[in-house]
Amino acid sequence: MIKRVTCLAGGIGAAKFLQGLVRILPQENITIIVNTGDDIELYGLHISPDPDILMYTLAGIVNEEKGWGIQSDTFNCLNMFQKYGLETWFKLGDKDLATHIYRTQLLKNGFSLGEVTQKLCKSLGLKVNILPMTNGKIAPQILTNFGKMHFEEYLVKRGAKDKVLDVIFEGAESAHPTPGVIESIQDASGIIVCPSNPIVSIGPILAVKKIREALKETTAKVVAISPIVGGGTIKGPADKLMRGLGLKVSAYSVALLYRDLLDVFILDEVDTVEKEKIERLGMKAIAANTIMRSLEDKVELARLALDALDPTAY
Ligand code: FO1
């Protein structure tokens, strides 16, 4: 069995998958390179949606219904902001705000985003190694018929209703991987690309040149799980973004985006017809249930990914 894995992750889809993975592997053996492209500054605070979604989920405190935020949180601070006439479209709960205040304070005191994330994880009792993809800034800008905007503005403030024309990765050229990221790819016995948005979650991670290079060079097997099922998304705007970029919304399109990196691609059983076409891209394709409704589904999918990474398995 695979011993040490490194995962590439966005928010909600990845968090569900990782809930299964931590039931199989010791947390200490898992490194997660997480997207920080959704990071946003609001009220002078540094918000890191994807790292927080992973942290809260794995710590068992996430609002399960939404997939983000903290369970039973209150919104007193946000209500007060509203009284002061501030914009409150991004729903930050009181407990969640504590994370952002502490993160911002640590960043101000000279800690890097990677160090801050480590501190937060430790305080929440986590032993997984969550590494922001970069300590720098890569903010994908969504170019729409309404203008260019931050991803959260496109998704939350404007409800993903604008026509997407392009996605621009500002800052990607000059971004460096967070210390430990490249080593985690080189030392892993297998790499998993979680079922996350390929454009704005995995896209920004792969836009960091050295990360993409390390993934190409690693001798460990790389498996990806399709976030696209039956020509649509389970959650989030991946379909709209893919369409905006001129891509067909299919598991095949996701495999095509990752083709230079992958050994194995897991697609949903409803998309079995795409299997052969995907294998012609030069990777093994496995059709299985990828919808994670229960904990058993999550564990089963994680086990399938681990088995697919095991070089002794085939
Ligand atoms: N998503 C929403 O749809 N509405 C929100 O108001 C919202 C607030 C929020 C606050 C903290 C956080 O960590 C995540 C939050 N999200 C919210 C989720 C987030 O917008 C996206 O799902 C991720 O950025 C995509 O992975």
PDB file of all heavy atoms in Angstrom, residues 2-37:
ATOM      1  N   ILE A   2       0.367   2.276  -0.673  1.00  0.00           N
ATOM      2  CA  ILE A   2       1.058   3.563  -0.740  1.00  0.00           C
ATOM      3  C   ILE A   2       1.215   4.146   0.671  1.00  0.00           C
ATOM      4  O   ILE A   2       0.285   4.113   1.473  1.00  0.00           O
ATOM      5  CB  ILE A   2       0.232   4.505  -1.645  1.00  0.00           C
ATOM      6  CG1 ILE A   2       0.361   4.096  -3.101  1.00  0.00           C
ATOM      7  CG2 ILE A   2       0.575   5.953  -1.453  1.00  0.00           C
ATOM      8  CD1 ILE A   2       1.713   4.327  -3.712  1.00  0.00           C
ATOM      9  N   LYS A   3       2.412   4.690   0.951  1.00  0.00           N
ATOM     10  CA  LYS A   3       2.691   5.149   2.319  1.00  0.00           C
ATOM     11  C   LYS A   3       2.524   6.661   2.498  1.00  0.00           C
ATOM     12  O   LYS A   3       1.991   7.126   3.481  1.00  0.00           O
ATOM     13  CB  LYS A   3       4.142   4.783   2.691  1.00  0.00           C
ATOM     14  CG  LYS A   3       4.366   3.287   2.878  1.00  0.00           C
ATOM     15  CD  LYS A   3       4.072   2.883   4.312  1.00  0.00           C
ATOM     16  CE  LYS A   3       4.230   1.421   4.596  1.00  0.00           C
ATOM     17  NZ  LYS A   3       3.387   0.531   3.832  1.00  0.00           N
ATOM     18  N   ARG A   4       3.057   7.421   1.538  1.00  0.00           N
ATOM     19  CA  ARG A   4       3.126   8.869   1.719  1.00  0.00           C
ATOM     20  C   ARG A   4       2.544   9.556   0.491  1.00  0.00           C
ATOM     21  O   ARG A   4       3.087   9.383  -0.596  1.00  0.00           O
ATOM     22  CB  ARG A   4       4.598   9.242   1.906  1.00  0.00           C
ATOM     23  CG  ARG A   4       4.910  10.696   2.082  1.00  0.00           C
ATOM     24  CD  ARG A   4       6.321  10.880   2.558  1.00  0.00           C
ATOM     25  NE  ARG A   4       6.481  10.400   3.914  1.00  0.00           N
ATOM     26  CZ  ARG A   4       6.136  11.078   5.012  1.00  0.00           C
ATOM     27  NH1 ARG A   4       5.623  12.287   4.896  1.00  0.00           N
ATOM     28  NH2 ARG A   4       6.300  10.574   6.195  1.00  0.00           N
ATOM     29  N   VAL A   5       1.441  10.276   0.649  1.00  0.00           N
ATOM     30  CA  VAL A   5       0.851  10.907  -0.524  1.00  0.00           C
ATOM     31  C   VAL A   5       0.854  12.430  -0.421  1.00  0.00           C
ATOM     32  O   VAL A   5       0.791  12.996   0.674  1.00  0.00           O
ATOM     33  CB  VAL A   5      -0.609  10.453  -0.811  1.00  0.00           C
ATOM     34  CG1 VAL A   5      -0.688   9.000  -1.178  1.00  0.00           C
ATOM     35  CG2 VAL A   5      -1.530  10.787   0.302  1.00  0.00           C
ATOM     36  N   THR A   6       0.942  13.038  -1.580  1.00  0.00           N
ATOM     37  CA  THR A   6       0.802  14.492  -1.687  1.00  0.00           C
ATOM     38  C   THR A   6      -0.415  14.751  -2.558  1.00  0.00           C
ATOM     39  O   THR A   6      -0.560  14.145  -3.624  1.00  0.00           O
ATOM     40  CB  THR A   6       2.087  15.105  -2.283  1.00  0.00           C
ATOM     41  OG1 THR A   6       3.122  14.935  -1.312  1.00  0.00           O
ATOM     42  CG2 THR A   6       1.927  16.582  -2.587  1.00  0.00           C
ATOM     43  N   CYS A   7      -1.293  15.609  -2.066  1.00  0.00           N
ATOM     44  CA  CYS A   7      -2.537  15.900  -2.781  1.00  0.00           C
ATOM     45  C   CYS A   7      -2.535  17.344  -3.263  1.00  0.00           C
ATOM     46  O   CYS A   7      -2.004  18.225  -2.583  1.00  0.00           O
ATOM     47  CB  CYS A   7      -3.740  15.707  -1.854  1.00  0.00           C
ATOM     48  SG  CYS A   7      -3.848  14.049  -1.167  1.00  0.00           S
ATOM     49  N   LEU A   8      -3.151  17.582  -4.401  1.00  0.00           N
ATOM     50  CA  LEU A   8      -3.394  18.947  -4.891  1.00  0.00           C
ATOM     51  C   LEU A   8      -4.872  19.209  -4.641  1.00  0.00           C
ATOM     52  O   LEU A   8      -5.716  18.382  -5.055  1.00  0.00           O
ATOM     53  CB  LEU A   8      -3.103  19.036  -6.391  1.00  0.00           C
ATOM     54  CG  LEU A   8      -1.670  19.391  -6.833  1.00  0.00           C
ATOM     55  CD1 LEU A   8      -0.658  18.468  -6.218  1.00  0.00           C
ATOM     56  CD2 LEU A   8      -1.551  19.388  -8.343  1.00  0.00           C
ATOM     57  N   ALA A   9      -5.194  20.323  -3.994  1.00  0.00           N
ATOM     58  CA  ALA A   9      -6.569  20.477  -3.528  1.00  0.00           C
ATOM     59  C   ALA A   9      -7.100  21.896  -3.650  1.00  0.00           C
ATOM     60  O   ALA A   9      -6.377  22.870  -3.469  1.00  0.00           O
ATOM     61  CB  ALA A   9      -6.657  20.047  -2.067  1.00  0.00           C
ATOM     62  N   GLY A  10      -8.416  21.961  -3.943  1.00  0.00           N
ATOM     63  CA  GLY A  10      -9.155  23.209  -3.830  1.00  0.00           C
ATOM     64  C   GLY A  10      -9.934  23.162  -2.522  1.00  0.00           C
ATOM     65  O   GLY A  10      -9.387  22.737  -1.495  1.00  0.00           O
ATOM     66  N   GLY A  11     -11.232  23.513  -2.594  1.00  0.00           N
ATOM     67  CA  GLY A  11     -12.028  23.599  -1.354  1.00  0.00           C
ATOM     68  C   GLY A  11     -12.921  22.405  -1.092  1.00  0.00           C
ATOM     69  O   GLY A  11     -12.443  21.318  -0.723  1.00  0.00           O
ATOM     70  N   ILE A  12     -14.216  22.571  -1.347  1.00  0.00           N
ATOM     71  CA  ILE A  12     -15.231  21.631  -0.840  1.00  0.00           C
ATOM     72  C   ILE A  12     -15.075  20.189  -1.362  1.00  0.00           C
ATOM     73  O   ILE A  12     -15.083  19.241  -0.575  1.00  0.00           O
ATOM     74  CB  ILE A  12     -16.647  22.188  -1.140  1.00  0.00           C
ATOM     75  CG1 ILE A  12     -16.815  23.551  -0.444  1.00  0.00           C
ATOM     76  CG2 ILE A  12     -17.731  21.223  -0.674  1.00  0.00           C
ATOM     77  CD1 ILE A  12     -18.049  24.342  -0.839  1.00  0.00           C
ATOM     78  N   GLY A  13     -14.896  20.019  -2.672  1.00  0.00           N
ATOM     79  CA  GLY A  13     -14.763  18.670  -3.253  1.00  0.00           C
ATOM     80  C   GLY A  13     -13.551  17.949  -2.683  1.00  0.00           C
ATOM     81  O   GLY A  13     -13.620  16.768  -2.317  1.00  0.00           O
ATOM     82  N   ALA A  14     -12.443  18.676  -2.611  1.00  0.00           N
ATOM     83  CA  ALA A  14     -11.206  18.093  -2.081  1.00  0.00           C
ATOM     84  C   ALA A  14     -11.370  17.724  -0.612  1.00  0.00           C
ATOM     85  O   ALA A  14     -10.925  16.664  -0.165  1.00  0.00           O
ATOM     86  CB  ALA A  14     -10.058  19.084  -2.246  1.00  0.00           C
ATOM     87  N   ALA A  15     -12.034  18.609   0.136  1.00  0.00           N
ATOM     88  CA  ALA A  15     -12.205  18.373   1.584  1.00  0.00           C
ATOM     89  C   ALA A  15     -12.968  17.076   1.826  1.00  0.00           C
ATOM     90  O   ALA A  15     -12.611  16.285   2.713  1.00  0.00           O
ATOM     91  CB  ALA A  15     -12.934  19.556   2.211  1.00  0.00           C
ATOM     92  N   LYS A  16     -13.999  16.837   1.001  1.00  0.00           N
ATOM     93  CA  LYS A  16     -14.784  15.603   1.149  1.00  0.00           C
ATOM     94  C   LYS A  16     -13.900  14.387   0.878  1.00  0.00           C
ATOM     95  O   LYS A  16     -13.941  13.403   1.604  1.00  0.00           O
ATOM     96  CB  LYS A  16     -15.940  15.600   0.141  1.00  0.00           C
ATOM     97  CG  LYS A  16     -17.105  16.456   0.520  1.00  0.00           C
ATOM     98  CD  LYS A  16     -18.166  16.189  -0.523  1.00  0.00           C
ATOM     99  CE  LYS A  16     -19.466  16.854  -0.249  1.00  0.00           C
ATOM    100  NZ  LYS A  16     -20.489  16.392  -1.191  1.00  0.00           N
ATOM    101  N   PHE A  17     -13.123  14.459  -0.198  1.00  0.00           N
ATOM    102  CA  PHE A  17     -12.243  13.346  -0.555  1.00  0.00           C
ATOM    103  C   PHE A  17     -11.225  13.100   0.571  1.00  0.00           C
ATOM    104  O   PHE A  17     -10.969  11.953   0.961  1.00  0.00           O
ATOM    105  CB  PHE A  17     -11.522  13.662  -1.869  1.00  0.00           C
ATOM    106  CG  PHE A  17     -10.499  12.641  -2.232  1.00  0.00           C
ATOM    107  CD1 PHE A  17     -10.873  11.446  -2.831  1.00  0.00           C
ATOM    108  CD2 PHE A  17      -9.155  12.849  -1.942  1.00  0.00           C
ATOM    109  CE1 PHE A  17      -9.925  10.472  -3.134  1.00  0.00           C
ATOM    110  CE2 PHE A  17      -8.203  11.884  -2.242  1.00  0.00           C
ATOM    111  CZ  PHE A  17      -8.588  10.693  -2.842  1.00  0.00           C
ATOM    112  N   LEU A  18     -10.680  14.181   1.108  1.00  0.00           N
ATOM    113  CA  LEU A  18      -9.650  14.049   2.153  1.00  0.00           C
ATOM    114  C   LEU A  18     -10.217  13.484   3.452  1.00  0.00           C
ATOM    115  O   LEU A  18      -9.512  12.811   4.198  1.00  0.00           O
ATOM    116  CB  LEU A  18      -8.976  15.416   2.390  1.00  0.00           C
ATOM    117  CG  LEU A  18      -8.126  15.893   1.199  1.00  0.00           C
ATOM    118  CD1 LEU A  18      -7.818  17.374   1.303  1.00  0.00           C
ATOM    119  CD2 LEU A  18      -6.828  15.086   1.101  1.00  0.00           C
ATOM    120  N   GLN A  19     -11.512  13.727   3.694  1.00  0.00           N
ATOM    121  CA  GLN A  19     -12.162  13.117   4.861  1.00  0.00           C
ATOM    122  C   GLN A  19     -12.063  11.591   4.765  1.00  0.00           C
ATOM    123  O   GLN A  19     -11.931  10.905   5.772  1.00  0.00           O
ATOM    124  CB  GLN A  19     -13.649  13.509   4.917  1.00  0.00           C
ATOM    125  CG  GLN A  19     -13.915  14.834   5.585  1.00  0.00           C
ATOM    126  CD  GLN A  19     -15.417  15.135   5.599  1.00  0.00           C
ATOM    127  OE1 GLN A  19     -16.089  15.065   4.568  1.00  0.00           O
ATOM    128  NE2 GLN A  19     -15.932  15.482   6.754  1.00  0.00           N
ATOM    129  N   GLY A  20     -12.148  11.082   3.530  1.00  0.00           N
ATOM    130  CA  GLY A  20     -12.007   9.637   3.316  1.00  0.00           C
ATOM    131  C   GLY A  20     -10.555   9.199   3.457  1.00  0.00           C
ATOM    132  O   GLY A  20     -10.254   8.198   4.110  1.00  0.00           O
ATOM    133  N   LEU A  21      -9.651  10.005   2.871  1.00  0.00           N
ATOM    134  CA  LEU A  21      -8.233   9.636   2.866  1.00  0.00           C
ATOM    135  C   LEU A  21      -7.658   9.525   4.285  1.00  0.00           C
ATOM    136  O   LEU A  21      -6.886   8.613   4.583  1.00  0.00           O
ATOM    137  CB  LEU A  21      -7.443  10.668   2.045  1.00  0.00           C
ATOM    138  CG  LEU A  21      -6.003  10.301   1.700  1.00  0.00           C
ATOM    139  CD1 LEU A  21      -5.953   9.085   0.778  1.00  0.00           C
ATOM    140  CD2 LEU A  21      -5.269  11.475   1.059  1.00  0.00           C
ATOM    141  N   VAL A  22      -8.069  10.471   5.167  1.00  0.00           N
ATOM    142  CA  VAL A  22      -7.519  10.441   6.538  1.00  0.00           C
ATOM    143  C   VAL A  22      -8.062   9.261   7.350  1.00  0.00           C
ATOM    144  O   VAL A  22      -7.577   8.993   8.447  1.00  0.00           O
ATOM    145  CB  VAL A  22      -7.752  11.764   7.315  1.00  0.00           C
ATOM    146  CG1 VAL A  22      -7.010  12.920   6.662  1.00  0.00           C
ATOM    147  CG2 VAL A  22      -9.237  12.094   7.458  1.00  0.00           C
ATOM    148  N   ARG A  23      -9.094   8.593   6.832  1.00  0.00           N
ATOM    149  CA  ARG A  23      -9.586   7.368   7.497  1.00  0.00           C
ATOM    150  C   ARG A  23      -8.708   6.176   7.128  1.00  0.00           C
ATOM    151  O   ARG A  23      -8.790   5.125   7.736  1.00  0.00           O
ATOM    152  CB  ARG A  23     -11.037   7.041   7.102  1.00  0.00           C
ATOM    153  CG  ARG A  23     -12.063   8.083   7.520  1.00  0.00           C
ATOM    154  CD  ARG A  23     -12.127   8.185   9.028  1.00  0.00           C
ATOM    155  NE  ARG A  23     -13.260   8.916   9.553  1.00  0.00           N
ATOM    156  CZ  ARG A  23     -13.467  10.231   9.445  1.00  0.00           C
ATOM    157  NH1 ARG A  23     -12.649  10.971   8.751  1.00  0.00           N
ATOM    158  NH2 ARG A  23     -14.521  10.789  10.029  1.00  0.00           N
ATOM    159  N   ILE A  24      -7.870   6.327   6.083  1.00  0.00           N
ATOM    160  CA  ILE A  24      -7.054   5.195   5.623  1.00  0.00           C
ATOM    161  C   ILE A  24      -5.572   5.398   5.981  1.00  0.00           C
ATOM    162  O   ILE A  24      -4.925   4.498   6.495  1.00  0.00           O
ATOM    163  CB  ILE A  24      -7.184   5.007   4.088  1.00  0.00           C
ATOM    164  CG1 ILE A  24      -8.664   4.886   3.685  1.00  0.00           C
ATOM    165  CG2 ILE A  24      -6.406   3.773   3.625  1.00  0.00           C
ATOM    166  CD1 ILE A  24      -8.893   4.874   2.182  1.00  0.00           C
ATOM    167  N   LEU A  25      -5.063   6.608   5.698  1.00  0.00           N
ATOM    168  CA  LEU A  25      -3.645   6.883   5.960  1.00  0.00           C
ATOM    169  C   LEU A  25      -3.492   7.740   7.210  1.00  0.00           C
ATOM    170  O   LEU A  25      -4.348   8.592   7.474  1.00  0.00           O
ATOM    171  CB  LEU A  25      -3.034   7.659   4.792  1.00  0.00           C
ATOM    172  CG  LEU A  25      -2.733   6.940   3.485  1.00  0.00           C
ATOM    173  CD1 LEU A  25      -2.066   7.919   2.522  1.00  0.00           C
ATOM    174  CD2 LEU A  25      -1.824   5.733   3.705  1.00  0.00           C
ATOM    175  N   PRO A  26      -2.387   7.571   7.964  1.00  0.00           N
ATOM    176  CA  PRO A  26      -2.146   8.476   9.088  1.00  0.00           C
ATOM    177  C   PRO A  26      -1.996   9.909   8.560  1.00  0.00           C
ATOM    178  O   PRO A  26      -1.391  10.106   7.502  1.00  0.00           O
ATOM    179  CB  PRO A  26      -0.820   7.988   9.675  1.00  0.00           C
ATOM    180  CG  PRO A  26      -0.547   6.664   9.065  1.00  0.00           C
ATOM    181  CD  PRO A  26      -1.323   6.577   7.793  1.00  0.00           C
ATOM    182  N   GLN A  27      -2.557  10.860   9.289  1.00  0.00           N
ATOM    183  CA  GLN A  27      -2.496  12.266   8.828  1.00  0.00           C
ATOM    184  C   GLN A  27      -1.058  12.714   8.547  1.00  0.00           C
ATOM    185  O   GLN A  27      -0.807  13.481   7.619  1.00  0.00           O
ATOM    186  CB  GLN A  27      -3.115  13.183   9.876  1.00  0.00           C
ATOM    187  CG  GLN A  27      -4.622  13.071   9.974  1.00  0.00           C
ATOM    188  CD  GLN A  27      -5.260  14.315  10.593  1.00  0.00           C
ATOM    189  OE1 GLN A  27      -4.620  15.336  10.802  1.00  0.00           O
ATOM    190  NE2 GLN A  27      -6.534  14.214  10.889  1.00  0.00           N
ATOM    191  N   GLU A  28      -0.119  12.223   9.353  1.00  0.00           N
ATOM    192  CA  GLU A  28       1.294  12.625   9.208  1.00  0.00           C
ATOM    193  C   GLU A  28       1.853  12.252   7.834  1.00  0.00           C
ATOM    194  O   GLU A  28       2.857  12.810   7.393  1.00  0.00           O
ATOM    195  CB  GLU A  28       2.179  11.936  10.258  1.00  0.00           C
ATOM    196  CG  GLU A  28       1.915  12.307  11.690  1.00  0.00           C
ATOM    197  CD  GLU A  28       0.795  11.483  12.333  1.00  0.00           C
ATOM    198  OE1 GLU A  28      -0.057  10.926  11.595  1.00  0.00           O
ATOM    199  OE2 GLU A  28       0.761  11.425  13.574  1.00  0.00           O
ATOM    200  N   ASN A  29       1.214  11.283   7.169  1.00  0.00           N
ATOM    201  CA  ASN A  29       1.723  10.810   5.870  1.00  0.00           C
ATOM    202  C   ASN A  29       1.081  11.542   4.695  1.00  0.00           C
ATOM    203  O   ASN A  29       1.273  11.163   3.545  1.00  0.00           O
ATOM    204  CB  ASN A  29       1.462   9.305   5.711  1.00  0.00           C
ATOM    205  CG  ASN A  29       2.240   8.492   6.725  1.00  0.00           C
ATOM    206  OD1 ASN A  29       2.805   9.047   7.667  1.00  0.00           O
ATOM    207  ND2 ASN A  29       2.264   7.195   6.553  1.00  0.00           N
ATOM    208  N   ILE A  30       0.271  12.570   5.012  1.00  0.00           N
ATOM    209  CA  ILE A  30      -0.449  13.282   3.939  1.00  0.00           C
ATOM    210  C   ILE A  30      -0.003  14.749   3.882  1.00  0.00           C
ATOM    211  O   ILE A  30      -0.044  15.461   4.888  1.00  0.00           O
ATOM    212  CB  ILE A  30      -1.979  13.232   4.183  1.00  0.00           C
ATOM    213  CG1 ILE A  30      -2.457  11.771   4.298  1.00  0.00           C
ATOM    214  CG2 ILE A  30      -2.728  13.964   3.071  1.00  0.00           C
ATOM    215  CD1 ILE A  30      -3.908  11.631   4.738  1.00  0.00           C
ATOM    216  N   THR A  31       0.417  15.167   2.706  1.00  0.00           N
ATOM    217  CA  THR A  31       0.697  16.590   2.471  1.00  0.00           C
ATOM    218  C   THR A  31      -0.335  17.093   1.474  1.00  0.00           C
ATOM    219  O   THR A  31      -0.647  16.410   0.497  1.00  0.00           O
ATOM    220  CB  THR A  31       2.116  16.790   1.895  1.00  0.00           C
ATOM    221  OG1 THR A  31       3.058  16.350   2.874  1.00  0.00           O
ATOM    222  CG2 THR A  31       2.398  18.246   1.573  1.00  0.00           C
ATOM    223  N   ILE A  32      -0.877  18.256   1.751  1.00  0.00           N
ATOM    224  CA  ILE A  32      -1.885  18.826   0.853  1.00  0.00           C
ATOM    225  C   ILE A  32      -1.379  20.177   0.340  1.00  0.00           C
ATOM    226  O   ILE A  32      -1.158  21.100   1.128  1.00  0.00           O
ATOM    227  CB  ILE A  32      -3.232  19.024   1.589  1.00  0.00           C
ATOM    228  CG1 ILE A  32      -3.692  17.713   2.250  1.00  0.00           C
ATOM    229  CG2 ILE A  32      -4.291  19.543   0.623  1.00  0.00           C
ATOM    230  CD1 ILE A  32      -4.766  17.907   3.304  1.00  0.00           C
ATOM    231  N   ILE A  33      -1.173  20.251  -0.958  1.00  0.00           N
ATOM    232  CA  ILE A  33      -0.815  21.543  -1.571  1.00  0.00           C
ATOM    233  C   ILE A  33      -2.136  22.199  -1.951  1.00  0.00           C
ATOM    234  O   ILE A  33      -2.884  21.682  -2.792  1.00  0.00           O
ATOM    235  CB  ILE A  33       0.076  21.340  -2.822  1.00  0.00           C
ATOM    236  CG1 ILE A  33       1.335  20.539  -2.448  1.00  0.00           C
ATOM    237  CG2 ILE A  33       0.448  22.687  -3.443  1.00  0.00           C
ATOM    238  CD1 ILE A  33       2.179  20.117  -3.655  1.00  0.00           C
ATOM    239  N   VAL A  34      -2.449  23.293  -1.295  1.00  0.00           N
ATOM    240  CA  VAL A  34      -3.790  23.870  -1.446  1.00  0.00           C
ATOM    241  C   VAL A  34      -3.760  25.181  -2.240  1.00  0.00           C
ATOM    242  O   VAL A  34      -2.813  25.966  -2.144  1.00  0.00           O
ATOM    243  CB  VAL A  34      -4.474  24.044  -0.058  1.00  0.00           C
ATOM    244  CG1 VAL A  34      -3.703  25.003   0.837  1.00  0.00           C
ATOM    245  CG2 VAL A  34      -5.919  24.519  -0.221  1.00  0.00           C
ATOM    246  N   ASN A  35      -4.809  25.372  -2.995  1.00  0.00           N
ATOM    247  CA  ASN A  35      -4.979  26.586  -3.794  1.00  0.00           C
ATOM    248  C   ASN A  35      -5.177  27.811  -2.897  1.00  0.00           C
ATOM    249  O   ASN A  35      -5.975  27.783  -1.958  1.00  0.00           O
ATOM    250  CB  ASN A  35      -6.222  26.400  -4.677  1.00  0.00           C
ATOM    251  CG  ASN A  35      -6.634  27.674  -5.375  1.00  0.00           C
ATOM    252  OD1 ASN A  35      -5.793  28.381  -5.927  1.00  0.00           O
ATOM    253  ND2 ASN A  35      -7.928  27.962  -5.349  1.00  0.00           N
ATOM    254  N   THR A  36      -4.469  28.877  -3.216  1.00  0.00           N
ATOM    255  CA  THR A  36      -4.700  30.141  -2.500  1.00  0.00           C
ATOM    256  C   THR A  36      -5.148  31.233  -3.485  1.00  0.00           C
ATOM    257  O   THR A  36      -5.137  32.413  -3.146  1.00  0.00           O
ATOM    258  CB  THR A  36      -3.435  30.607  -1.744  1.00  0.00           C
ATOM    259  OG1 THR A  36      -2.339  30.600  -2.668  1.00  0.00           O
ATOM    260  CG2 THR A  36      -3.124  29.710  -0.574  1.00  0.00           C
ATOM    261  N   GLY A  37      -5.535  30.777  -4.675  1.00  0.00           N
ATOM    262  CA  GLY A  37      -5.982  31.734  -5.694  1.00  0.00           C
ATOM    263  C   GLY A  37      -7.279  32.447  -5.317  1.00  0.00           C
ATOM    264  O   GLY A  37      -7.581  33.517  -5.836  1.00  0.00           O
TER     265      GLY A  37
END
